[in-house]
Amino acid sequence: MNILIIGGAGFIGCHLCEGLLREHAVVCLDNLSTGSRENIKQLLSNSRFYFIREDITSDLRAIKARLSNAEIQRGFDWVLNLASPASPAAYAKMPVETMLTGSAGTYNALELARAYNAGFLFTSTSEVYGDPEINPQHEGYFGNVNPIGARSVYDEAKRFSEALIMAYHRKFRLKTRIVRLFNTFGSRMASDDGRVVPTFITQALANKPITVFGSGKQTRSLCYVSDTVEGICAAITAEDKDEINYPINVGSEEELSIVELAKKIIKLSSSSSRIEFKDLPEDDPKVRRPDITRARKLLGWEPKVNVDEGLVKTIEWFRSKCSQ
Ligand code: UDP
């Protein structure tokens, strides 16, 4: 298949490009605002890989021209849209860009899918559930989102995108996949993006204090990136039936508190760091765990790598990066 991955130079995107290249041709389009060339440098020599630096919120005709200039005559079977700043620190720094990417950008990506007569996959987020009142969260839960809070630029852009995608599905019968990704971690996360795993590992490896926000009793369920990528791939290869066009949670069921995570990282990296408590950011969700019944049923998918195994691999990757 020919696959267009928008946001393919980001943390999850680059792993997805790598995985899909084993069997398919991949064009990666990314503006490198939070992604990087470093993430995809090992793919550039692959003749089935093509990189275009472009912003998905640019003029649609200009994007189409870039794609047709890129010697991509055969069109695409799938358009996968992962584009967006995704860490709370990144979307706080780029609030307007985040909203535009999740609105005008999603519109452009959908129009590309329509023009190529391709299927369309969108990586949505557990953030559509906001600070959830139920745990675990299933796809039928409408969420508890503050529409004007610090995280709203991300949450509402993703919610708008989901609504727009469903409109395209209903109006144009576009083949759609919405995977709601829960927290994902692994190699090639940016050490300075503020997310909990790279932050704690970087602090632990330097034996500096581990900054736990709030009481640290808030929970997250961390999925290792190879599992997340398999979940995304399963969404485009699984049997095409009506139900699969609607949102599907992809994440780990292994829920742990942030303090537990800090202790695990200290132990697994043999660090002498201590824990330092800091203020909790606004609207920080208290719990987060996916109900993955739909992923099991429709995608035949569930995570394989447990948190400890994933953390060991991720710590090793950060350690080797530090020593370079
Ligand atoms: N967190 C923390 N210390 C940090 C970074 C994050 O305690 O240095 C907490 C944060 O408050 C949240 C959780 O870790 O409760 C996960 O944060 P992250 O930014 O990774 O993503 P989120 O799940 O909130 O989108």
Side-chain angles (χ1 to χ4, degrees), residues 5 43 63 87 127 150 170 173 175 179 222 238 250 269 305:
I5 306 187
L43 307 178
I63 298 173
S87 77
E127 282 285 319
R170 293 190 180 107
R173 302 310 303 162
K175 197 185 332 180
V179 283
L222 300 168
V250 166
S269 59
V305 182

Side-chain angles (χ1 to χ4, degrees), residues 65-138:
R66 295 283 314 268
L67 287 168
S68 58
N69 285 344
E71 296 168 25
I72 305 141
Q73 308 301 345
R74 287 165 300 158
F76 295 101
D77 301 287
W78 281 95
V79 172
L80 315 186
N81 184 15
L82 286 77
S84 180
S87 77
Y91 52 74
K93 218 187 294 165
M94 294 183 273
V96 178
E97 294 87 338
T98 302
M99 294 224 72
L100 284 176
T101 305
S103 51
T106 304
Y107 166 76
N108 280 347
L110 282 161
E111 282 296 311
L112 287 177
R114 221 154 72 82
Y116 290 113
N117 201 16
F120 181 84
L121 177 140
F122 179 68
T123 50
S124 186
T125 168
S126 52
E127 282 285 319
V128 299
Y129 303 121
D131 186 9
E133 298 131 313
I134 62 164
N135 200 32
Q137 297 83 52
H138 59 82

Side-chain angles (χ1 to χ4, degrees), residues 88 91 127 151 183 194-197 199-200 203 211-213 218 220 258 280-281 284-285 288:
Y91 52 74
E127 282 285 319
R151 302 169 85 102
N183 295 64
R195 275 185 280 202
V196 69
V197 171
T199 304
F200 284 5
Q203 291 166 338
T211 52
V212 169
F213 298 159
Q218 69 272 31
R220 294 295 185 271
I258 296 304
L280 188 69
D284 198 286
R288 199 183 271 160

Side-chain angles (χ1 to χ4, degrees), residues 2 12 32 40-41 48 56-57 61 71 76 79 145 160 186 196 200 209-210 217 219 225 251 279 295 304 315 318 323:
N2 286 338
I12 297 177
L32 302 182
I40 50 165
K41 70 166 194 261
R48 291 201 293 192
I56 192 58
T57 65
R61 274 169 307 181
E71 296 168 25
F76 295 101
V79 172
V145 173
F160 175 88
V196 69
F200 284 5
I210 307 280
K217 288 192 184 131
T219 66
V225 66
D279 289 345
K304 295 182 194 135
I315 290 166
F318 274 95
S323 63

